[in-house]
C-alpha cells in the first residue's frame, strides 16, 4: 500500500469540514437531490455568497441569481461539491506549521490560477468554466498537503529548492512522493472527474503527458499550464515580470491570442482575482495593466543581485601589474564579474574573440598594440561592435580624449584609477549590457512569437475551413474551390463539372440507430467520395448529408461515369458499426459549365436541380442537367419510391 493510500485511510490528507463535508456526503448518494444540497449550502452564509458570486459572474447577460437553490441548479451538484471542497480548504489552511511554506501566498497564487482557468475556459469552451475554477484552485493542493503532513521535512525541501534544485525530485527523494501525486489523490476524494484530474496532474510539464496533440486532454493540460503561468506573473516581483510576460505572449500565440487580446484577458483576471481575494481573505497585489508591465523599463543594474552581475564577462587589457591586480580585484570581488586579462592590445584582441566579453576595459599606452589601435581593430569586426569599452588613461588633453571616442571608446577613467569612479562607470556599463541583453532577447522572442502565431493562425485557418466530423473541407472551403475551378475553366476553356451528392434516407438512419451511428455513416461516405475523386478534384461537405465534388477537365460523359462509379461504390459498402451492418446509397446531381452560365452559382444551381430530380426519381441514381433539361440514368436494381 502506498504512502498516500495509508494517509487517505487514516484520514490525514487535507479534507473538507462542516458544510463542505456534508455536501460531499449527500452527493455520494444516488438519490441525492438539488434541494438537499441547497438546504445545506444555505446553512453556510460564506459559502452561499461565494457560490452566488461565481454563478452570477459566469452568467453574463442572464438574470442575476439571488436564490441559493437557483444557484445550485445553475452550477450543478458536481461543481458545487468541488467548489465547497476548495473553499473549505482555503478557510482551514490559511496558516500552518511549516515555517518555510507561505500559506497566504500559496492560496493567492491558487486563486489567481482558478480565475485564469475559468476565464480561459470561457474562451476555448472545452469544459465548464466553473469546474475549471475549482480545478485551478486545487491544482497545487498537493504542496499544501506535504507542508501540512511533514512541516519540518518540507521546510528542508523548500530550503534546498531555493538553490535551484527541481522541487518534484527533492520531494520524492526526501518524502517518498511528490506533490502531484498528493494532488491527484485529493482531487479524486473531491470527486473531480478523471477527465479533468489527469490534465491537472500533468499541467506543470505538459510535454510529459503523452496526450495526442490537439485532443481535449491536451488542450486542458495546456489551459492549466497557461493559467499557472498567468498566476506566476501575477505573483512575481517586479524584477521577474519581464520573462513571465514574454512566455505568456508565446503561450497566447499558440491559441491565436495576440498581445492585445492576451493583455485584455490578463487584466480581467486580475480584477476578478482581487475581488475573490478580498472575499476569501487572501493577499492580492495591486498590479499595473498587462500593457504597462510589458512596456516597463528594464531594471537598472543597481537593483540587481550580485548573482546577476556574475554573469557579465569583462576583458581587462592592462600592462601595468599593479593596476591590473587592483582593477581585477575590484571587478571580480566587489562587482562579481568574470574577468579575463591580457597585457597588450594584440593579445586582448585574440582573447576577445575567444571569450566574447560584454565589457572591455583597456589601458591606452601599451606595447605591441595600444588601446586606441586595439579599440579600432575590435570595432572593425562584427562581433566587436556591441561591446562596451572603457579606456584607462592618464591623458587629459581634450584632443586625445576626442581621438579615443572616435576610435570607438564608450567611456574613460583617468589614471591613477579611482575605485569610486570605476564603480560608477561600471554601473553605466552594466546597465548598457542589461539593455542590450533585453533587446537581443526581445528580438529572439519576437521571432519565436511571430513563428508561433503564424503556426497558430494556420491551424485556426485550417479549422475554419474544415468540417470537424468528416475532416473534409467545409462549405466555405468548397465554395472557394468551386470559384477557383470556375475561373480556371473560363481562362483555359477546359470543361469542368460539379457533382452534388446526397445520402439517401439519412434521417431514417438517425431516427433508427441514433446520431452517433449517423455520424459514422457520414464519415464512411466521405471516405468513399474522397477515394473516388481524382487527385486534383475538390471534395467538400456543404450541408448535413450533402457533399460537393468539383471535377476539372471533365466533360458531361466523364462526369456521368465518375458519378455512376461513386454511386455503385457507396451502394456496395458494408458499414459495420457495433455489430450492425448498415447499407446506404447516394443520389447525385451532375452539371457542367455551359456558355450561357455567368457565374459559378449558376453551375451549382444546375447540379442541385439535377440532384432534386434524382431524389424525385427514386434516389440511388445519377441525373444530369444539360442545356436546361434534366436526364436521369435508369436504376434497375432499386425500385424504391421517393
Amino acid at each position: 500500500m502506498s504512502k498516500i493510500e495509508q494517509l487517505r485511510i487514516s484520514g490525514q490528507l487535507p479534507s473538507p469540514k462542516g458544510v463542505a463535508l456534508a455536501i460531499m456526503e449527500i452527493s455520494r448518494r444516488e438519490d441525492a437531490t438539488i434541494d438537499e444540497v441547497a438546504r445545506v449550502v444555505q446553512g453556510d452564509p460564506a459559502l452561499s455568497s461565494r457560490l452566488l458570486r461565481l454563478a452570477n459572474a459566469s452568467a453574463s447577460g442572464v438574470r442575476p441569481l439571488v436564490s441559493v437553490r437557483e444557484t445550485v441548479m445553475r452550477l450543478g451538484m458536481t461543481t458545487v461539491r468541488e467548489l465547497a471542497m476548495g473553499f473549505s480548504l482555503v478557510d482551514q489552511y490559511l496558516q500552518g506549521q511549516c515555517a518555510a511554506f507561505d500559506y497566504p501566498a500559496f492560496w493567492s497564487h491558487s486563486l489567481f490560477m482558478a480565475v485564469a482557468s475559468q476565464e480561459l475556459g470561457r474562451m476555448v469552451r472545452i469544459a465548464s468554466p466553473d469546474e475549471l475554477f475549482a480545478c485551478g484552485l486545487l491544482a497545487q493542493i498537493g504542496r499544501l498537503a506535504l507542508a501540512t503532513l511533514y512541516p519540518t521535512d518540507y521546510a528542508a525541501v523548500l530550503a534546498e529548492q531555493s538553490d535551484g534544485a527541481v522541487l518534484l525530485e527533492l520531494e520524492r527523494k526526501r518524502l517518498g512522493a511528490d506533490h502531484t501525486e498528493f494532488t491527484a489523490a485529493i482531487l479524486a476524494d473531491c470527486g473531480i472527474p478523471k477527465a479533468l484530474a489527469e490534465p491537472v496532474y500533468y499541467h506543470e510539464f505538459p510535454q510529459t503527458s503523452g496526450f495526442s496533440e490537439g485532443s481535449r486532454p491536451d488542450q486542458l493540460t495546456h489551459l492549466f499550464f497557461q493559467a499557472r503561468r498567468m498566476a506566476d506573473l501575477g505573483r512575481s516581483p517586479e524584477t521577474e515580470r519581464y520573462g513571465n510576460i514574454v512566455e505568456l505572449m508565446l503561450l497566447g500565440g499558440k491559441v491565436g491570442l495576440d498581445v492585445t487580446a492576451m493583455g485584455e484577458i490578463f487584466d480581467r483576471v486580475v480584477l476578478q482575482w482581487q475581488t475573490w481575494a478580498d472575499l476569501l481573505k487572501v493577499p492580492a497585489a495591486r498590479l499595473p495593466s498587462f500593457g504597462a508591465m510589458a512596456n516597463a523599463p528594464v531594471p537598472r543594474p543597481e537593483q540587481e543581485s550580485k548573482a546577476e552581475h556574475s554573469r557579465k564577462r569583462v576583458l581587462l587589457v592592462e600592462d601595468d601589474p599593479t593596476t591590473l591586480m587592483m582593477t581585477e580585484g575590484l571587478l571580480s570581488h566587489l562587482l562579481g564579474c568574470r574577468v579575463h586579462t591580457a597585457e597588450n592590445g594584440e593579445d586582448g584582441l585574440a582573447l576577445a574573440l575567444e571569450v566574447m566579453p560584454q565589457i572591455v576595459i583597456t589601458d591606452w599606452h601599451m606595447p605591441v598594440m595600444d588601446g586606441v589601435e586595439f579599440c579600432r581593430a575590435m570595432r572593425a569586426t562584427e562581433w566587436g561592435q556591441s561591446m562596451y569599452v572603457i579606456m584607462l588613461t592618464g591623458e587629459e588633453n581634450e584632443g586625445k580624449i576626442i581621438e579615443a571616442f572616435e576610435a570607438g571608446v564608450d567611456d574613460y577613467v583617468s589614471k591613477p584609477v579611482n575605485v569610486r569612479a570605476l564603480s560608477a562607470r561600471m554601473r553605466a556599463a552594466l546597465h548598457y549590457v542589461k539593455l542590450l541583453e533585453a533587446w537581443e532577447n526581445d528580438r529572439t522572442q519576437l521571432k519565436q512569437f511571430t513563428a508561433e502565431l503564424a503556426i497558430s493562425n494556420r491551424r485556426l485557418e485550417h479549422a475554419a475551413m474544415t468540417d470537424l466530423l468528416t475532416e473534409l473541407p467545409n462549405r466555405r472551403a468548397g465554395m472557394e474551390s468551386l470559384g477557383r475551378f470556375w475561373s480556371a475553366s473560363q481562362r483555359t476553356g477546359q470543361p469542368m463539372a460539379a457533382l452534388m451528392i446526397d445520402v439517401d434516407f439519412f434521417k431514417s438512419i438517425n431516427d433508427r440507430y441514433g446520431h452517433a451511428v449517423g455520424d459514422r455513416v457520414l464519415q464512411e461516405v466521405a471516405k468513399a467520395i474522397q477515394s473516388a475523386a481524382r487527385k486534383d478534384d475538390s471534395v467538400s461537405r456543404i450541408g448535413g448529408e450533402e457533399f460537393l465534388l468539383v471535377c476539372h477537365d471533365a466533360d458531361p460523359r466523364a462526369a456521368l461515369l465518375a458519378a455512376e462509379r461513386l454511386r455503385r461504390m457507396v451502394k456496395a459498402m458494408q458499414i459495420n458499426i457495433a455489430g450492425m451492418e448498415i447499407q446506404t446509397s447516394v443520389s447525385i446531381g451532375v452539371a457542367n459549365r455551359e456558355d450561357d452560365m455567368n457565374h459559378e452559382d449558376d453551375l451549382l444551381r444546375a447540379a442541385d436541380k439535377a440532384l432534386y430530380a434524382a431524389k424525385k426519381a427514386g434516389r440511388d441514381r445519377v441525373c444530369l442537367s444539360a442545356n436546361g433539361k434534366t436526364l436521369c440514368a435508369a436504376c434497375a436494381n432499386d425500385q424504391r419510391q421517393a
Side-chain angles (χ1 to χ4, degrees), residues 209-219 222 254 455 459:
S209 70
F211 296 136
S212 300
E213 184 177 356
S215 64
R216 184 172 182 267
D218 180 66
Q219 292 181 62
H222 282 88
K254 291 180 179 179
I455 292 170
R459 287 175 178 169

Side-chain angles (χ1 to χ4, degrees), residues 611-619 621 623 632-633 638 640-642:
L611 173 62
Y612 177 77
K615 292 164 71 174
K616 188 176 181 181
R619 293 182 168 84
R621 66 194 62 227
C623 286
C632 289
D638 195 344
R640 290 177 298 181
Q641 297 300 312

Side-chain angles (χ1 to χ4, degrees), residues 344-393:
N344 59 68
E346 190 174 277
D347 292 345
L349 199 62
L351 189 57
L353 179 59
E354 180 183 340
V355 303
M356 287 297 166
Q358 296 153 299
I359 301 169
V360 176
I361 301 175
T362 179
D363 188 18
W364 188 321
H365 298 291
M366 296 180 295
V368 184
M369 178 186 285
D370 67 21
V372 172
E373 292 175 359
F374 166 58
C375 190
R376 285 198 185 102
M378 192 169 58
R379 293 305 194 200
T381 67
E382 183 178 350
W383 51 265
Q385 293 179 16
S386 61
M387 296 174 185
Y388 194 91
V389 181
I390 300 174
M391 181 76 79
L392 304 180
T393 179

